[in-house]
Amino acid sequence: MTEPPKDDLVRFLEDRFACAQACTECARSCALLVSSTDLGPAAPQVHGPVRPVADEGPEQADAPLGLRRALLLSVEVCDATCRLLSEEAHQDEYGIRLQVEWCRAVTLECAHACDRTRDAADCAEQCRACARACTDFLATLG
């Protein structure tokens, strides 16, 4: 088994760290927005991943509950992605790829939800930065 060139390994580790750091910043920004904004009643407690309901119309997507759901999902997924990327144990590349791709998709959805909300521009930008970091890291996976 041949080892990858040292430059490739360094880039991989740098991009992995940048992705984990962007996930942390995105989660922090989304959590801050949830806690500092009156978004109406909290979403019901659900265990496991939650995807937005497909039949929601655009008027429902703008509702505070939709934003709260997007923010909380982003917090959970970004936090889980950061934890996975921060582990030192040997990990399955396929599992890492799936988690990072999921994180990228969720943060882009969250950015779009923030775009429709007054005073959420900072959170939207953090979500986009996280999605970009995920994209960059996925490129190092090959």
Side-chain angles (χ1 to χ4, degrees), residues 26 29 110-111 114-115 120-132:
C26 182
S29 182
C110 188
C114 288
D115 287 340
D122 289 341
C123 185
E125 182 50 39
Q126 288 295 332
C127 289
R128 284 189 180 83
C130 183
R132 283 189 300 271

Side-chain angles (χ1 to χ4, degrees), residues 51-122:
R51 299 286 297 163
V53 178
D55 62 351
E56 285 185 0
E59 63 281 344
Q60 285 182 314
D62 290 334
L65 185 59
L67 177 61
R68 179 183 290 275
R69 186 177 303 127
L71 292 167
L72 292 175
L73 181 59
S74 184
V75 169
E76 289 181 24
V77 172
C78 285
D79 187 49
T81 304
C82 181
R83 280 194 314 268
L84 177 73
L85 294 176
S86 299
E87 291 177 359
E88 291 185 29
H90 178 70
Q91 297 167 355
D92 168 37
E93 182 180 320
Y94 179 74
I96 291 172
R97 178 177 293 283
L98 285 178
Q99 181 69 36
V100 174
E101 286 175 350
W102 185 35
C103 185
R104 178 176 58 182
V106 167
T107 56
L108 285 175
E109 287 178 18
C110 188
H112 294 308
C114 288
D115 287 340
R116 296 186 300 265
T117 305
R118 191 179 66 226
D119 300 327
D122 289 341

